Amino acid sequence: MASIGPTVLQLIPSATRVSARVHPLVIFNVCDCYVRRPDHAERVIGTLLGSILPDGTVDIRNCYAVPHNESLDQVALDIDYHHNMLSSHQKVNPKEAIVGWFSTGFEVTGSSALIHEFYSREASNPVHLTVDTEFKNGETTIKAFVAINLSLGDQHLAAQFQEVPLDLRMVEAEKVGFDVLKPTNVDKLPNDIEGMEALMGRLLALIDDVYKYVDDVVEDRVARDSKIGRFISDTIASLPKLSPHAFNKLVNDSLQDQLLLLYLSSITSTQLSVAEKLNTAAQIL
């Protein structure tokens, strides 16, 4: 009598290692969709758009919310709305394709597997992005996941979500806005002077770090790194050679130009307001 081999329970990982990077526009759009959600909705889900870079990194550049209803054992998505929004986005940017989906919340829920199964038919190995819009840890927590198939022999049983590396890619101007909106208590947005002061504070802190690193290398407290040394040398060489007097004149001229623009815009706003009130008074009379 032939013996029956043991049935093996195994995880089937993805063919390639996946990492993701997300642009701040996506985070702002997710937060905006969460604020505008229906009263009965506990969370918001939607589609992630972007592309796959040559190194396999998922570049997430845009997103849109998809109306849905979910219960304990089922999820209903508005698929027609999803396809119409996708068609509209691709008319503007044909290079953007579906790379995954997002949901608001701190963790992956039970119904996430059903939604991920739908997006697995829309894209190959989609990424699931979670954004904590309730600030449970005192700030926004952003995580990315991919699904790993759980099989029993040849039978597919379920999908297990595994966290993957996520890089929040932003330029300096976007980082200023993100740092302002990240805390839970924001009294007011900083003005130009306050923003400049915060930037100068961070710049001075970075310069102090460079000074400390160079001193540690000179005193043999830190191992030498030729790559970092060349980077510091190139950065210093890229700075323009200006005398303190010329530098102060350049800053003051730029500041005066900005103040002149503010003054002209203020005059224009006042003139429009006066014209509107005169027009209203003329119509009444």
Side-chain angles (χ1 to χ4, degrees), residues 160-214:
Q160 179 185 17
F161 286 95
Q162 182 179 25
E163 188 174 355
V164 297
L166 178 66
D167 179 24
L168 185 59
R169 188 62 57 90
M170 63 181 71
V171 298
E172 186 61 34
E174 294 171 332
K175 190 175 187 307
V176 172
F178 183 78
D179 290 341
V180 170
L181 299 177
K182 186 168 60 174
T184 56
N185 50 350
V186 179
D187 296 330
K188 65 181 183 66
L189 295 178
N191 55 36
D192 294 340
I193 301 299
E194 293 172 344
M196 179 66 70
E197 183 179 359
L199 285 176
M200 290 298 101
R202 283 199 292 268
L203 179 60
L204 290 175
L206 291 175
I207 294 176
D208 290 338
D209 291 340
V210 173
Y211 268 121
K212 184 177 183 303
Y213 173 78
V214 173

Short mmCIF file of all heavy atoms in Angstrom, two decimals, residues 160-214:
data_model
loop_
_atom_site.label_atom_id
_atom_site.label_comp_id
_atom_site.label_asym_id
_atom_site.label_seq_id
_atom_site.Cartn_x
_atom_site.Cartn_y
_atom_site.Cartn_z
N GLN A 160 -1.01 36.51 3.97
CA GLN A 160 -0.45 37.14 5.16
C GLN A 160 0.23 38.45 4.75
O GLN A 160 1.03 38.48 3.81
CB GLN A 160 0.56 36.21 5.84
CG GLN A 160 1.19 36.82 7.08
CD GLN A 160 2.27 35.93 7.66
OE1 GLN A 160 2.75 35.03 6.98
NE2 GLN A 160 2.64 36.16 8.90
N PHE A 161 -0.09 39.53 5.48
CA PHE A 161 0.51 40.82 5.16
C PHE A 161 1.86 40.95 5.86
O PHE A 161 1.97 40.72 7.06
CB PHE A 161 -0.42 41.96 5.59
CG PHE A 161 -1.62 42.13 4.71
CD1 PHE A 161 -2.82 41.52 5.03
CD2 PHE A 161 -1.55 42.88 3.55
CE1 PHE A 161 -3.93 41.67 4.22
CE2 PHE A 161 -2.64 43.04 2.73
CZ PHE A 161 -3.84 42.44 3.06
N GLN A 162 2.85 41.33 5.08
CA GLN A 162 4.21 41.52 5.60
C GLN A 162 4.64 42.95 5.33
O GLN A 162 4.53 43.45 4.21
CB GLN A 162 5.18 40.54 4.94
CG GLN A 162 6.61 40.66 5.48
CD GLN A 162 7.54 39.67 4.82
OE1 GLN A 162 7.29 39.24 3.69
NE2 GLN A 162 8.61 39.32 5.50
N GLU A 163 5.15 43.62 6.37
CA GLU A 163 5.59 45.01 6.22
C GLU A 163 6.86 45.08 5.38
O GLU A 163 7.76 44.24 5.51
CB GLU A 163 5.82 45.65 7.59
CG GLU A 163 6.09 47.14 7.53
CD GLU A 163 6.17 47.78 8.90
OE1 GLU A 163 5.91 47.07 9.90
OE2 GLU A 163 6.50 48.98 8.98
N VAL A 164 6.94 46.09 4.52
CA VAL A 164 8.10 46.29 3.65
C VAL A 164 8.68 47.67 3.93
O VAL A 164 8.00 48.56 4.46
CB VAL A 164 7.70 46.16 2.16
CG1 VAL A 164 7.20 44.76 1.86
CG2 VAL A 164 6.65 47.19 1.79
N PRO A 165 9.95 47.89 3.58
CA PRO A 165 10.56 49.22 3.81
C PRO A 165 9.82 50.31 3.05
O PRO A 165 9.43 50.14 1.89
CB PRO A 165 11.99 49.04 3.28
CG PRO A 165 12.24 47.57 3.32
CD PRO A 165 10.92 46.91 3.06
N LEU A 166 9.63 51.44 3.72
CA LEU A 166 8.91 52.58 3.14
C LEU A 166 9.73 53.84 3.32
O LEU A 166 10.20 54.14 4.42
CB LEU A 166 7.54 52.74 3.79
CG LEU A 166 6.69 53.92 3.31
CD1 LEU A 166 6.29 53.72 1.85
CD2 LEU A 166 5.45 54.08 4.17
N ASP A 167 9.90 54.58 2.23
CA ASP A 167 10.67 55.83 2.25
C ASP A 167 9.73 56.97 1.91
O ASP A 167 9.04 56.94 0.88
CB ASP A 167 11.82 55.75 1.23
CG ASP A 167 12.64 57.03 1.21
OD1 ASP A 167 12.64 57.76 2.22
OD2 ASP A 167 13.28 57.30 0.17
N LEU A 168 9.68 57.96 2.79
CA LEU A 168 8.86 59.15 2.54
C LEU A 168 9.74 60.17 1.83
O LEU A 168 10.61 60.80 2.44
CB LEU A 168 8.32 59.72 3.86
CG LEU A 168 7.36 60.90 3.75
CD1 LEU A 168 6.14 60.52 2.92
CD2 LEU A 168 6.92 61.36 5.13
N ARG A 169 9.53 60.32 0.52
CA ARG A 169 10.40 61.16 -0.31
C ARG A 169 9.78 62.55 -0.48
O ARG A 169 8.66 62.68 -0.95
CB ARG A 169 10.56 60.48 -1.68
CG ARG A 169 11.58 61.12 -2.59
CD ARG A 169 12.97 61.07 -2.00
NE ARG A 169 13.39 59.73 -1.68
CZ ARG A 169 14.03 58.95 -2.54
NH1 ARG A 169 14.29 59.37 -3.76
NH2 ARG A 169 14.41 57.73 -2.18
N MET A 170 10.53 63.58 -0.10
CA MET A 170 10.02 64.94 -0.21
C MET A 170 11.16 65.92 -0.36
O MET A 170 12.29 65.66 0.08
CB MET A 170 9.17 65.30 1.00
CG MET A 170 9.91 65.30 2.34
SD MET A 170 8.83 65.70 3.72
CE MET A 170 7.85 64.21 3.81
N VAL A 171 10.86 67.06 -0.99
CA VAL A 171 11.82 68.14 -1.09
C VAL A 171 11.70 68.99 0.17
O VAL A 171 10.80 68.80 0.99
CB VAL A 171 11.59 68.97 -2.36
CG1 VAL A 171 11.76 68.13 -3.60
CG2 VAL A 171 10.19 69.60 -2.35
N GLU A 172 12.59 69.98 0.30
CA GLU A 172 12.65 70.75 1.54
C GLU A 172 11.35 71.52 1.79
O GLU A 172 10.87 71.58 2.93
CB GLU A 172 13.83 71.73 1.49
CG GLU A 172 14.07 72.48 2.79
CD GLU A 172 14.39 71.56 3.95
OE1 GLU A 172 15.03 70.51 3.71
OE2 GLU A 172 13.99 71.86 5.08
N ALA A 173 10.76 72.11 0.73
CA ALA A 173 9.52 72.87 0.91
C ALA A 173 8.39 71.97 1.38
O ALA A 173 7.58 72.34 2.24
CB ALA A 173 9.14 73.56 -0.40
N GLU A 174 8.31 70.75 0.84
CA GLU A 174 7.28 69.81 1.27
C GLU A 174 7.53 69.34 2.70
O GLU A 174 6.59 69.11 3.46
CB GLU A 174 7.25 68.61 0.32
CG GLU A 174 6.81 68.97 -1.09
CD GLU A 174 6.99 67.82 -2.06
OE1 GLU A 174 7.88 66.98 -1.83
OE2 GLU A 174 6.26 67.76 -3.05
N LYS A 175 8.80 69.19 3.07
CA LYS A 175 9.13 68.74 4.41
C LYS A 175 8.69 69.77 5.46
O LYS A 175 8.25 69.40 6.55
CB LYS A 175 10.63 68.48 4.53
CG LYS A 175 11.04 67.79 5.83
CD LYS A 175 12.52 67.46 5.82
CE LYS A 175 12.89 66.62 7.02
NZ LYS A 175 12.49 67.17 8.31
N VAL A 176 8.80 71.07 5.12
CA VAL A 176 8.37 72.11 6.05
C VAL A 176 6.87 71.97 6.32
O VAL A 176 6.42 72.00 7.48
CB VAL A 176 8.70 73.50 5.49
CG1 VAL A 176 8.07 74.59 6.36
CG2 VAL A 176 10.20 73.70 5.41
N GLY A 177 6.08 71.81 5.26
CA GLY A 177 4.64 71.65 5.43
C GLY A 177 4.27 70.38 6.17
O GLY A 177 3.37 70.38 7.02
N PHE A 178 4.99 69.30 5.88
CA PHE A 178 4.70 68.03 6.55
C PHE A 178 5.03 68.10 8.03
O PHE A 178 4.29 67.58 8.87
CB PHE A 178 5.48 66.91 5.87
CG PHE A 178 5.19 65.54 6.44
CD1 PHE A 178 4.03 64.87 6.07
CD2 PHE A 178 6.05 64.93 7.34
CE1 PHE A 178 3.75 63.62 6.58
CE2 PHE A 178 5.78 63.69 7.85
CZ PHE A 178 4.62 63.03 7.47
N ASP A 179 6.15 68.75 8.37
CA ASP A 179 6.52 68.87 9.78
C ASP A 179 5.52 69.72 10.55
O ASP A 179 5.29 69.51 11.74
CB ASP A 179 7.92 69.49 9.91
CG ASP A 179 9.01 68.54 9.44
OD1 ASP A 179 8.73 67.33 9.37
OD2 ASP A 179 10.12 69.01 9.13
N VAL A 180 4.91 70.72 9.87
CA VAL A 180 3.91 71.56 10.53
C VAL A 180 2.64 70.77 10.80
O VAL A 180 2.03 70.87 11.87
CB VAL A 180 3.61 72.80 9.68
CG1 VAL A 180 2.41 73.56 10.24
CG2 VAL A 180 4.83 73.71 9.64
N LEU A 181 2.22 69.95 9.85
CA LEU A 181 0.95 69.22 9.97
C LEU A 181 1.09 67.91 10.73
O LEU A 181 0.07 67.32 11.11
CB LEU A 181 0.38 68.94 8.58
CG LEU A 181 0.05 70.18 7.73
CD1 LEU A 181 -0.44 69.75 6.36
CD2 LEU A 181 -0.98 71.04 8.42
N LYS A 182 2.30 67.44 10.97
CA LYS A 182 2.49 66.15 11.61
C LYS A 182 2.08 66.13 13.07
O LYS A 182 1.46 65.16 13.52
CB LYS A 182 3.96 65.72 11.46
CG LYS A 182 4.24 64.32 11.98
CD LYS A 182 5.62 63.86 11.54
CE LYS A 182 6.71 64.76 12.07
NZ LYS A 182 8.06 64.24 11.78
N PRO A 183 2.36 67.15 13.89
CA PRO A 183 1.93 67.11 15.30
C PRO A 183 0.41 67.16 15.41
O PRO A 183 -0.29 67.59 14.49
CB PRO A 183 2.58 68.35 15.92
CG PRO A 183 3.65 68.75 14.97
CD PRO A 183 3.19 68.33 13.62
N THR A 184 -0.10 66.72 16.56
CA THR A 184 -1.55 66.70 16.76
C THR A 184 -2.09 68.07 17.13
O THR A 184 -3.27 68.33 16.95
CB THR A 184 -1.90 65.72 17.88
OG1 THR A 184 -1.18 66.07 19.07
CG2 THR A 184 -1.52 64.31 17.50
N ASN A 185 -1.27 68.95 17.67
CA ASN A 185 -1.75 70.28 18.08
C ASN A 185 -1.02 71.36 17.30
O ASN A 185 0.14 71.66 17.56
CB ASN A 185 -1.55 70.50 19.59
CG ASN A 185 -0.14 70.18 20.03
OD1 ASN A 185 0.64 69.63 19.27
ND2 ASN A 185 0.18 70.54 21.26
N VAL A 186 -1.69 71.91 16.28
CA VAL A 186 -1.14 72.98 15.46
C VAL A 186 -2.00 74.21 15.70
O VAL A 186 -3.15 74.27 15.28
CB VAL A 186 -1.13 72.60 13.97
CG1 VAL A 186 -0.59 73.74 13.14
CG2 VAL A 186 -0.31 71.34 13.76
N ASP A 187 -1.46 75.19 16.40
CA ASP A 187 -2.23 76.40 16.68
C ASP A 187 -2.40 77.26 15.43
O ASP A 187 -3.49 77.75 15.14
CB ASP A 187 -1.54 77.21 17.79
CG ASP A 187 -1.49 76.45 19.11
OD1 ASP A 187 -2.41 75.65 19.33
OD2 ASP A 187 -0.55 76.65 19.88
N LYS A 188 -1.32 77.46 14.69
CA LYS A 188 -1.39 78.26 13.48
C LYS A 188 -0.21 77.89 12.59
O LYS A 188 0.81 77.35 13.04
CB LYS A 188 -1.34 79.75 13.82
CG LYS A 188 -0.03 80.22 14.43
CD LYS A 188 -0.08 81.71 14.75
CE LYS A 188 1.26 82.19 15.29
NZ LYS A 188 2.33 82.12 14.28
N LEU A 189 -0.36 78.19 11.31
CA LEU A 189 0.73 77.95 10.37
C LEU A 189 1.78 79.04 10.54
O LEU A 189 1.46 80.20 10.78
CB LEU A 189 0.20 77.96 8.94
CG LEU A 189 -0.77 76.83 8.56
CD1 LEU A 189 -1.25 77.01 7.13
CD2 LEU A 189 -0.12 75.47 8.73
N PRO A 190 3.05 78.69 10.42
CA PRO A 190 4.09 79.70 10.59
C PRO A 190 4.11 80.67 9.43
O PRO A 190 3.83 80.30 8.28
CB PRO A 190 5.38 78.87 10.65
CG PRO A 190 5.06 77.62 9.89
CD PRO A 190 3.61 77.35 10.16
N ASN A 191 4.45 81.94 9.71
CA ASN A 191 4.61 82.90 8.63
C ASN A 191 5.99 82.74 8.01
O ASN A 191 6.76 81.84 8.36
CB ASN A 191 4.40 84.33 9.15
CG ASN A 191 5.31 84.65 10.33
OD1 ASN A 191 6.45 84.20 10.39
ND2 ASN A 191 4.81 85.44 11.27
N ASP A 192 6.31 83.62 7.04
CA ASP A 192 7.57 83.47 6.31
C ASP A 192 8.78 83.60 7.23
O ASP A 192 9.76 82.84 7.10
CB ASP A 192 7.64 84.52 5.20
CG ASP A 192 6.60 84.28 4.12
OD1 ASP A 192 6.11 83.14 4.03
OD2 ASP A 192 6.27 85.22 3.37
N ILE A 193 8.73 84.56 8.15
CA ILE A 193 9.87 84.77 9.05
C ILE A 193 10.05 83.56 9.96
O ILE A 193 11.19 83.09 10.18
CB ILE A 193 9.68 86.06 9.86
CG1 ILE A 193 9.54 87.27 8.93
CG2 ILE A 193 10.85 86.26 10.82
CD1 ILE A 193 10.74 87.49 8.06
N GLU A 194 8.95 83.05 10.52
CA GLU A 194 9.05 81.88 11.41
C GLU A 194 9.53 80.65 10.66
O GLU A 194 10.32 79.85 11.18
CB GLU A 194 7.69 81.62 12.06
CG GLU A 194 7.25 82.71 13.03
CD GLU A 194 5.83 82.52 13.51
OE1 GLU A 194 5.08 81.74 12.87
OE2 GLU A 194 5.45 83.14 14.52
N GLY A 195 9.05 80.49 9.41
CA GLY A 195 9.53 79.36 8.61
C GLY A 195 11.01 79.46 8.30
O GLY A 195 11.74 78.47 8.38
N MET A 196 11.46 80.68 7.96
CA MET A 196 12.88 80.89 7.71
C MET A 196 13.71 80.63 8.96
O MET A 196 14.80 80.04 8.89
CB MET A 196 13.11 82.32 7.20
CG MET A 196 14.55 82.67 6.91
SD MET A 196 15.23 81.72 5.53
CE MET A 196 14.30 82.46 4.18
N GLU A 197 13.19 81.06 10.11
CA GLU A 197 13.91 80.83 11.37
C GLU A 197 14.06 79.34 11.67
O GLU A 197 15.12 78.87 12.10
CB GLU A 197 13.17 81.53 12.50
CG GLU A 197 13.88 81.42 13.86
CD GLU A 197 13.13 82.14 14.96
OE1 GLU A 197 12.06 82.72 14.67
OE2 GLU A 197 13.61 82.12 16.10
N ALA A 198 12.98 78.58 11.42
CA ALA A 198 13.05 77.13 11.65
C ALA A 198 14.04 76.47 10.70
O ALA A 198 14.81 75.58 11.10
CB ALA A 198 11.66 76.51 11.49
N LEU A 199 14.06 76.91 9.44
CA LEU A 199 15.00 76.35 8.47
C LEU A 199 16.44 76.67 8.87
O LEU A 199 17.33 75.82 8.77
CB LEU A 199 14.71 76.90 7.08
CG LEU A 199 13.49 76.34 6.36
CD1 LEU A 199 13.28 77.06 5.02
CD2 LEU A 199 13.63 74.86 6.13
N MET A 200 16.68 77.90 9.30
CA MET A 200 18.03 78.28 9.71
C MET A 200 18.47 77.48 10.94
O MET A 200 19.65 77.10 11.06
CB MET A 200 18.08 79.78 10.02
CG MET A 200 17.95 80.69 8.81
SD MET A 200 19.28 80.47 7.60
CE MET A 200 18.46 79.45 6.37
N GLY A 201 17.53 77.20 11.85
CA GLY A 201 17.86 76.38 13.02
C GLY A 201 18.28 74.98 12.62
O GLY A 201 19.27 74.44 13.15
N ARG A 202 17.54 74.38 11.67
CA ARG A 202 17.91 73.03 11.20
C ARG A 202 19.24 73.06 10.46
O ARG A 202 20.05 72.12 10.58
CB ARG A 202 16.81 72.47 10.31
CG ARG A 202 15.60 71.97 11.10
CD ARG A 202 14.77 71.02 10.26
NE ARG A 202 14.12 71.71 9.16
CZ ARG A 202 12.91 72.23 9.22
NH1 ARG A 202 12.21 72.14 10.34
NH2 ARG A 202 12.37 72.83 8.18
N LEU A 203 19.48 74.14 9.67
CA LEU A 203 20.74 74.24 8.95
C LEU A 203 21.92 74.34 9.91
O LEU A 203 22.96 73.69 9.72
CB LEU A 203 20.70 75.44 8.01
CG LEU A 203 21.96 75.71 7.20
CD1 LEU A 203 22.29 74.53 6.31
CD2 LEU A 203 21.79 76.98 6.35
N LEU A 204 21.77 75.16 10.96
CA LEU A 204 22.85 75.28 11.94
C LEU A 204 23.09 73.97 12.67
O LEU A 204 24.25 73.62 12.97
CB LEU A 204 22.50 76.39 12.94
CG LEU A 204 22.52 77.83 12.41
CD1 LEU A 204 22.04 78.80 13.47
CD2 LEU A 204 23.92 78.20 11.93
N ALA A 205 22.02 73.22 12.94
CA ALA A 205 22.19 71.92 13.60
C ALA A 205 22.96 70.95 12.70
O ALA A 205 23.83 70.19 13.16
CB ALA A 205 20.83 71.34 13.97
N LEU A 206 22.67 70.98 11.39
CA LEU A 206 23.40 70.12 10.45
C LEU A 206 24.87 70.53 10.36
O LEU A 206 25.75 69.67 10.29
CB LEU A 206 22.75 70.19 9.07
CG LEU A 206 21.37 69.55 8.93
CD1 LEU A 206 20.79 69.81 7.54
CD2 LEU A 206 21.43 68.05 9.20
N ILE A 207 25.13 71.84 10.36
CA ILE A 207 26.52 72.30 10.32
C ILE A 207 27.27 71.86 11.58
O ILE A 207 28.43 71.44 11.52
CB ILE A 207 26.56 73.83 10.15
CG1 ILE A 207 26.01 74.23 8.78
CG2 ILE A 207 27.98 74.36 10.32
CD1 ILE A 207 25.91 75.71 8.55
N ASP A 208 26.62 71.93 12.73
CA ASP A 208 27.24 71.47 13.98
C ASP A 208 27.55 69.98 13.91
O ASP A 208 28.61 69.53 14.39
CB ASP A 208 26.32 71.76 15.16
CG ASP A 208 26.22 73.25 15.47
OD1 ASP A 208 27.14 73.98 15.07
OD2 ASP A 208 25.22 73.65 16.11
N ASP A 209 26.65 69.20 13.30
CA ASP A 209 26.91 67.76 13.15
C ASP A 209 28.12 67.52 12.26
O ASP A 209 28.94 66.62 12.53
CB ASP A 209 25.68 67.07 12.56
CG ASP A 209 24.51 67.03 13.53
OD1 ASP A 209 24.75 67.18 14.75
OD2 ASP A 209 23.36 66.84 13.07
N VAL A 210 28.26 68.30 11.18
CA VAL A 210 29.40 68.14 10.29
C VAL A 210 30.69 68.52 11.02
O VAL A 210 31.72 67.82 10.91
CB VAL A 210 29.22 69.01 9.02
CG1 VAL A 210 30.49 68.99 8.17
CG2 VAL A 210 28.04 68.50 8.20
N TYR A 211 30.66 69.62 11.77
CA TYR A 211 31.83 70.03 12.56
C TYR A 211 32.24 68.91 13.52
O TYR A 211 33.44 68.58 13.65
CB TYR A 211 31.52 71.30 13.35
CG TYR A 211 31.88 72.58 12.63
CD1 TYR A 211 30.90 73.53 12.36
CD2 TYR A 211 33.19 72.84 12.24
CE1 TYR A 211 31.21 74.72 11.71
CE2 TYR A 211 33.51 74.02 11.58
CZ TYR A 211 32.52 74.95 11.31
OH TYR A 211 32.84 76.11 10.66
N LYS A 212 31.26 68.34 14.21
CA LYS A 212 31.56 67.30 15.18
C LYS A 212 32.17 66.07 14.50
O LYS A 212 33.11 65.45 15.00
CB LYS A 212 30.30 66.90 15.95
CG LYS A 212 30.52 65.88 17.06
CD LYS A 212 29.23 65.60 17.80
CE LYS A 212 29.46 64.63 18.96
NZ LYS A 212 30.05 63.35 18.50
N TYR A 213 31.59 65.71 13.32
CA TYR A 213 32.12 64.54 12.60
C TYR A 213 33.56 64.77 12.16
O TYR A 213 34.42 63.89 12.32
CB TYR A 213 31.23 64.25 11.39
CG TYR A 213 31.78 63.18 10.50
CD1 TYR A 213 31.67 61.83 10.83
CD2 TYR A 213 32.45 63.51 9.32
CE1 TYR A 213 32.21 60.85 10.01
CE2 TYR A 213 32.98 62.53 8.50
CZ TYR A 213 32.86 61.20 8.85
OH TYR A 213 33.39 60.23 8.04
N VAL A 214 33.84 65.97 11.61
CA VAL A 214 35.20 66.26 11.15
C VAL A 214 36.18 66.24 12.33
O VAL A 214 37.29 65.68 12.23
CB VAL A 214 35.24 67.62 10.43
CG1 VAL A 214 36.68 68.02 10.10
CG2 VAL A 214 34.41 67.56 9.15
#
